[in-house]
Structures are given as structure tokens and as C-alpha cells.
Amino acid sequence: MSAHDGPLGPGGTRPEEIKRRTFLDLLLGVGFVSTALSFAYPLWRYLIPPAVAEATTNSVVAGKATEFKNGSGTIVKFGSRPAIVVRTSEGEFRAFSAVCTHLDCTVQYKGDTSQLWCACHNGLYDLAGNNVSGPPPRPLQAFTVNLRGEPGQEDVVVTRA
Amino acid sequence: MRPVIVRTVLFQALALAVFAVSAEAQQPAAATGCQTCHASQQSATLATPARDFAVTDVHRERGFSCVDCHGGDPAASDKAAAKAPSTGFRGKPTGALIIAVCSRCHSDAALMRKYAPKQRVDQAAEYATSVHGQQLAKGDTKVATCVSCHGAHGVRPVGDAQSPVYPLNVAATCTKCHADPERMKGYQRAGAPLPTDQRERYEKSVHHKAMVDRNDLSAPTCNDCHGNHGAAPPGVDAIANVCGTCHTVFATKFALSTHSLIFERGCVECHSNHDIAQPSDAMLGTGKEALCGTCHSEGDNGFKAAAAMRSGIDTLKASIGLSQEQIDGVENAGMDMADQALTLREAGNHLTRARTEMHAFDPKLVDAVVSEGMGLTAKVDAAAAAARNEVSYRRTGLAISLAFIVLVVVALQLKIRSLERSTSGSRL
Amino acid sequence: MTQQLLSWLDERLDLSALQHFVSEKSVPVHRHSVWYYMGGITLFLVGVQVFTGILLLLYYRPSAGEAYESVKFIVSQVEFGWLIRNVHSWSANLLIFMAFVHLFSTLFLRSYRKPRELTWVTGVLLLFVMMGFGFSGYLLPWNELAFFATKVGTGIAGAVPGIGHFLLRFLRGGDDVTGATLTRFYGIHVAVLPATMTAILGLHLLFIQRQGMSVPPSVERREKAGEKIPQIPFVPHYVLHDVMWWYVALAVLAALALFLPWELGKKADAFAAVPPGIRPEWYFLAMFQVLKLLPAHIVGLEGEMLGVLGFSLAALVLLVLPFLDRGAGEGRSSPLVTVAGVAALVYMVVFTIYGYLAA
């Protein structure tokens, strides 16, 4: 320390140095807090379960039971392939893979004949998934349907058999 | 009366005239005198039928024995007595007599109802309409009769995998004669000799592959197009109908087109009859491999239509490929593209339908489907672009965190320096 | 406020000895003292792995039917899942790299000499544990590359003479790499190795705290000659320095996650053909490359087995190095150690690069 510096403060420090140190401490504090926040925020969001609770490989919630009308068929996503949820005119739920066993087109529900129809080459399946007409060589893969939850607000759960 | 009915009645009459024996038994028939004697013969011609019949035979299992077809006296141990004319012994039937022997029972509905209620009883009538039946009526004994395909002594039901008429075995059975050039010499159709390479060609076909590789027994073999008992080639105008029994959509669209009026051989013109290959996009269009150029030339409407349809299909195919790449790329960066994958699958369905639609040979119809498909790929591309934006946004956020971290590092460095300065270095 | 907390605890637990120890603790400063921080960075990365690993645990499923899908789920559906997974994957590699840096620096600086032999031994054991973590963790996403790399790696384990077959079956949970292997590796990765690591790491840190930082032989000679070696207080100087290096490591991790995100690849298919150019992760690559180059038979013995034996021998030498170079404790360290160290370093670098180019 040289002679022409200012008077010494407590602990052998100078006022400018104290200012610099306090500024530095502030900078450090801000840095720590901001990095801590930039870790804490993603961590917090990560821990909250996502909208779809689990990967839909083996089971998928197709919707609420009330959303499916009698005598209808709805396509839902099951893993990476489409599935079709059929509700017969008596209200019974059935579900099949919507991938036609002929050339992989997506089948649809045909209300007038109560069959599952593939538009590509006119393949027809009955509501048990059996291939009844046209090119499909095998029946549609059948899935299990269960209703889960409060009566009146059940979830329709489709599971790979 | 129509020749068919005449022939049928003649066969039946022959049958009734020959035998008076009725068949009633339901349990497998016991070994008879015929078998005991014949099975022990040296000569294969005499012994083999008896042995085959003893091993497995659908008739024997239902209580029929040698005498039900051949006549004779099973109880007699003496050859002469067993085969006396009074016993109704007929020996080995040949030619039209075979039809008579078989149809005696198999054309009798009341009888067949007792053993196999669902089985048809019109085989003999059908046979009479077939080329085989017609030739036989003219006196040609080289043609196939009941036993040529079903066997005589080791008859198995059609559903038995070892039966010569089980779907997987049909081609081999038919071509036992039809692939033999010696045997087929002299026969012709529409002025040309009959081919003998059908089996070779069929085994290259997509139908054969479906049956053998994918176990799809509903895939066609000889009898599905040519008929079983009424076997004859489908007529010129019938080809599209025959193919159309399974390929309904294509047949319907084809029927709408002008080609259905022009093509002599219908579907066969482009797809061949026996060696039907897996169709490819290369067959359509104006390129070297394309079939359209066989009739159409540069400048005519058909040429333009072919080019348009092919280009539409190619465009959609390429677009789907690109969209798939986009999805893959974005998925790797961590975005969930399952919904887009589903949409792209739908676009793939449109590609399949475009290839079907093409059989009406109208570019406008193909274009309608292709456009819809392109709309779907456009949606997917848009979603992928949005996902990429999200990835950039995330990266920016991460970059900002990085900046803060660097800030802390710098601040710490400065802090350490200042500490070192204030405590003037060493402490001890 | 921290003061209040500390005095509250002190009243109950008597922290005076601890406080004295911490306030008196100092670290030497010299030309090579920057290497002191390498162990700390490695420790920090271990902490990052434990933290991100536990987070991944909350969503991961260790079965062949669901593992790949669950990782895909984490990366695409869970918020910031991509970040956690990327950090975990990159930090694993960075950790092993820093472990090697720490190993080589302590080797060249002869830190293993008496009285720090046990610190070295526990350290080498920790290196093996870390590589075990890397090998077991690599399989967990159940993707194509990992599946085949594990197949090859466990196959090599089978080349160990005598116990090879048992070892292979033990690792694979059967004769082939299947879902059983995945479950087993998962158990090893999240339970067995962490427990082992905690015990060995505890000892390693205990020894360091007990004995303080080692100085290089040249500095020791200066000390013995009467020179006073400058020191910095552990708190706050050294700690701040340590934290600064940790933040540098964080910056590197963030940059890697930003510019080189980890791919997931395709799901493993046991019946698919082995993809061409299959190879293990870089920290096994040098060994793998040598094994690939060895001829099938050498003097009648299986080449692969000899290779595995060779590497096992090298690992053993590494483990007992302090006891082989006993002269180091008296300032007469064998120059062979430096030679061997440089040779090992060169071999690892060259063969790792070679392994990448050969693929």
C-alpha cells in the first residue's frame, strides 16, 4: 500500500475498495440467485406430472364415457398407431386397432351397416373385429375396454389385451 | 334340353344302372376280403390301393368299403366268387364311369345330408360344364376326373393339409398335367397351344407369396379364378369380374374407365394372369418401365393423363417422405410429434387411395385424393415448424441460463481476487 | 441468520471442533495447485448425476417393453425432461473425463505416495465404479446402439478365463441380453453402485480431510529446505475457487446440452441385425479397439482372453501403484511412473480417436 492512498478504514481496507467489494458481493448475490432460480424453475415444472400421466404404450384413456354416442366409432391415438373405439347401439364399448390388416390404412365406423370399413380397398370387418369381406387377411387386433371412475363421469380406458 | 343337363342325367343314369347297393354304415368299415387279398399281393398296382385305403380315407372312416365303389362280394374268399358278375363287380372305373361312380352318392342330396350336410351336391353338374367334362364327353380320357384331383383310395377332406386339393397344394395338383408338355400336346385354345409354365409363373406371383409366406389361405390359387369342378379359363369379358371378386374397388373404378372397353384381357393387360407381381408406381406414367407407353405416345391425351397421375402420386410420396424426416428431426430434439405421426399416416392412406383411384384412368380423380393428402402433409410440416420454434425458444432459455452462469463465474473470479488482495495473500 | 442457526446447533452438538478445523484448514499454493480442483469438479458432477438421476427415476420404467417409451416420454412430454435427460447423459461423460484428468494429475504429481496410498486406492476403485455406472446406465434407454453395445461388452466379460461364463450370465441375467439384463443393470445403476460409491467416496473424502492436500515432490523438497509455501484459507478462498470451477462445469454442461443434444435413436430389437460400426462409449473405446485388433489366437491362447487379462493386469497395477513405487514416499519416485503415465495417456488418446475413425 502506497503513501498517497486515502486513510485506512476498518480491517485495513479503503472506502473505494469497500464500495467495490459491496458491489461485487451484490453482483455475486444476483448471479447466485438468478442461477438458482434458473435451476429451480425447470426443476419445479419437471416435478409436476404432465397432462398425459404416462406413455401410451399399453393403455390409453380414450375420453369420458358420455362423449361416445351409441352406434358410433371414434379414432383415438394409441401409442404411435390409431385405435378405434366403437360403442354399439346397445351401449357396449369395444375397441380395436384401427390399422387395417390389409395395407395399413385406417378403418372407420360405418353406421348404416354397423361394420368397420376400410376406405382404401373396401375391406369390411364386423363389430367383433372379424374380417368379413374384401382383402383383409386377418381380423383387427382387439383391445380391452374398461370404465373407470365415478358413475356418470367414467373414463373409457383402452388397454392392449 | 340343354347339353349340360343331358350329360348330367346320363351320368346319373349310368350310375343307377350299374349298382343297386345302398350305403348306410356310419362306422369305419372293417377289413374286407378284398383288402386281405389285395394287400398281400406282390404287384404294386394291386396292393397299393388296398394299403392306401387302409391307412387313411375319408370314405372308409364313414363306413364305406371297396364294394361301395367297385362292387363284388367282400365275404367271398375265392377270387372268382368275389368278382363274379352277379355281385355287380365293376373293376377299375375309367373315364365317364368314374364320374358316375362318384356322383352316385355325391350328387344325392338326401344321402349327403346324412354324412356331410353342408357339402354341395352339384359337382357333377359343374364338371359337365368344364373343359375337362366337355372333353370327356367327346371321348378324351386324358382329362382330369374326380380321382385325378381328389385321389381314389386315400381320399382326404379338402380341409386336410395333405389333401391334393388343400389350397396350398392346388397348384401342384393342377400342374401335374398342365405343366407336362407331352401331355398337353395337341390341346389348344383360341388357336394357340396351351401354356405349360403357369405354375412357374404363379410361384413368382404376389398371390402365391401371400398364401405361402403370410399364411393367407384366402389368397387365390388355380381354382379361385378358374373354378373347381367347372374349371375353365374365364372368358374375355369375365376377367375383370373374376379379379373383381376380391379387388372390388379396382374393378369398379376400372369399369368406369374407357380402358375397360378397350382392353381385350382386362386387368391382365397390365397385371398379367399367372405371374402377377407386386404393383409399383413405376408401372404408371411415361418412363421406361411404365406400361402406359405400350399404347400411348407423346402428345396424346392418354400420355398426358398418365404423366399427370404419376406426377401427382410421386409428389405426394415425396411430400410424405419429407414430412416424416421433419417429424424425426424434431422428435430427436425432444418434441412430441405423435399426433403429427397419426396425421401423416392418414396422408399415407391417401397415397394408397390415389393408387386405387388411378384405375379409373382419370387424372382429375387422382388429383382430388392427392390434394387432400398434400393438405395433410402441409399441416404436419406446419406443426413441425412450430415445434422447431419451440426448440429454438428452449435453446434461447438455456443460453440465457448459460449467460447467468458465466456471470457467476466472472463474479466469483473477481471476488476471489479481491479477497486475495484484502488479506494480502498469505495467511500463515 | 446463518450465525443464529450455527449457534443454535452449536449449543446442542458442540460444533467447536468442526469450526476450528474449518477455520484453520488451508491449502498450499504453487505452480501445480490448479490440479487440486479436479477432484472437486468430479465430485460436483457426481452430485449432478445423483440429482438428475433421481429426477429421471420419477418417470423412467425399467422394463424392456416400456423403457424406451418412458425415456421418449420424459424427453417429449415431461416439462424440461429433455433438459434433465441431456444434462444426465452429458454429465456422465464429463464426469468420467474429469475422473481421468484427476487420476492423471495425481499420478504425475505423485500424490499417491506415502501417507496417501489409501486415498489413491479408494480413488482408483471409484474410477471403476464410475465406469460401471457408465456401462450400466448406457443400456437403460433400451435403444438400438445401447443394446448392441451391451451385447458386445458383456460378451467380452465372457472372455475372462475361468469365471468368464459365470460373469457373463451374472451380468446379463441369462445367456442373452434381454429385459432381464435391463432390470439387473437398473438395479446395479440405482442401488448397488450408489451404495458402493457412497461408502468408498466417504472414505476417500475422509482421508483427504484427515491428511490435507498433497504437494508435488518439488514443492515438498522446497518445504524441507525451509522455504515457506504460501497457503490460502480453505474458507472462503479455496471454497469460492471450487464453486467457481463447479460453475464452469455447469456452463460446459449447459453449452453441451444446448449445442449437442443427446439423441434417443431407435428402440432396441433383439432380432434385428447388428448395426454396422457398433462400438461402446468413448471411455471404453480404446480398450475395445485393442481387443478388435488382437488376432483370434496368440500362442495357442484365445486373443480376446489375453486382451482382457492384459487390461485386468493393467487395472491391478494401477490399483496398487503406491505400493509398487514405494520410493516416491522418500522423494525417490521412479521415473518409470511418468513414462508409463505418458504412454497410457498417449495410448488412450490415440486409440480413442482411432476407434472413432475406424467405425
Side-chain angles (χ1 to χ4, degrees), chain B residues 93-170:
Chain B
T94 53
L97 216 49
I98 297 178
I99 315 299
V101 167
C102 301
S103 62
R104 181 175 71 90
C105 298
H106 281 278
S107 297
D108 182 347
L111 182 73
M112 289 313 295
R113 203 163 42 235
K114 286 194 250 182
Y115 294 95
K118 264 177 64 174
Q119 211 179 90
R120 301 176 66 134
V121 290
D122 59 353
Q123 296 93 334
E126 271 199 299
Y127 180 78
T129 69
S130 71
V131 171
H132 297 136
Q134 288 170 14
Q135 287 293 111
L136 188 63
K138 286 195 217 149
D140 180 354
T141 46
K142 273 205 301 182
V143 294
T145 59
C146 314
V147 304
S148 321
C149 298
H150 291 279
H153 300 106
V155 179
R156 293 169 183 269
V158 176
D160 185 325
Q162 291 184 47
S163 163
V165 295
Y166 184 70
L168 288 173
N169 304 330
V170 166

Side-chain angles (χ1 to χ4, degrees), chain B residues 268-293:
Chain B
V268 176
E269 294 283 357
C270 293
H271 290 286
S272 165
N273 48 1
H274 296 116
D275 50 345
I276 303 172
Q278 180 77 27
S280 73
D281 289 339
M283 288 162 70
L284 169 70
T286 53
K288 264 194 300 159
E289 282 174 39
L291 300 171
C292 310

Side-chain angles (χ1 to χ4, degrees), chain B residues 399-421:
Chain B
I400 293 174
S401 300
L402 185 56
F404 279 130
I405 291 171
V406 170
L407 172 70
V408 171
V409 170
V410 167
L412 274 170
Q413 270 279 33
L414 295 173
K415 178 73 180 174
I416 291 163
R417 294 262 173 79
S418 91
L419 269 178
E420 280 167 357
R421 246 198 316 264

Side-chain angles (χ1 to χ4, degrees), chain A residues 3 6-7 20 25 28-29 40 44 51-52 57 62 70 76 78 85 87 90 113 125 127 135 140-142 151 154:
Chain A
R20 205 186 311 137
D25 287 338
L28 207 52
W44 171 246
V52 178
T57 24
N70 283 9
V76 297
F78 197 149
V85 177
R87 194 164 193 187
E90 286 92 43
T113 54
Y125 303 85
L127 291 187
L140 290 172
Q141 186 190 8
E154 295 104 335

Side-chain angles (χ1 to χ4, degrees), chain C residues 105-126:
Chain C
S105 65
T106 48
L107 182 135
F108 288 125
L109 292 175
R110 306 296 194 277
S111 310
Y112 58 77
R113 66 187 189 280
K114 174 173 171 180
R116 293 180 175 81
E117 301 97 325
L118 288 178
T119 317
W120 170 268
V121 169
T122 49
V124 173
L125 288 177
L126 277 174

Side-chain angles (χ1 to χ4, degrees), chain A residues 35 39 45-46 52 54 57, chain C residues 55 59 61 69 79 247:
Chain A
T35 49
F39 303 151
R45 299 298 311 172
Y46 179 90
V52 178
E54 50 179 357
T57 24
Chain C
L55 289 178
Y59 292 103
R61 299 211 181 157
E69 285 79 5
E79 263 197 83
Y247 266 82

Side-chain angles (χ1 to χ4, degrees), chain B residues 291-321:
Chain B
L291 300 171
C292 310
T294 331
C295 301
H296 292 286
S297 42
E298 180 108 35
D300 74 32
N301 284 336
F303 192 86
K304 282 189 249 179
M309 291 192 288
R310 172 71 186 276
S311 109
I313 287 174
D314 280 349
T315 311
L316 183 56
K317 195 157 74 166
S319 181
I320 291 173

Side-chain angles (χ1 to χ4, degrees), chain C residues 303-322:
Chain C
E304 198 182 36
M305 183 200 77
L306 281 178
V308 169
L309 265 182
F311 285 119
S312 310
L313 197 64
L316 191 63
V317 165
L318 191 67
L319 191 66
V320 300
L321 186 62

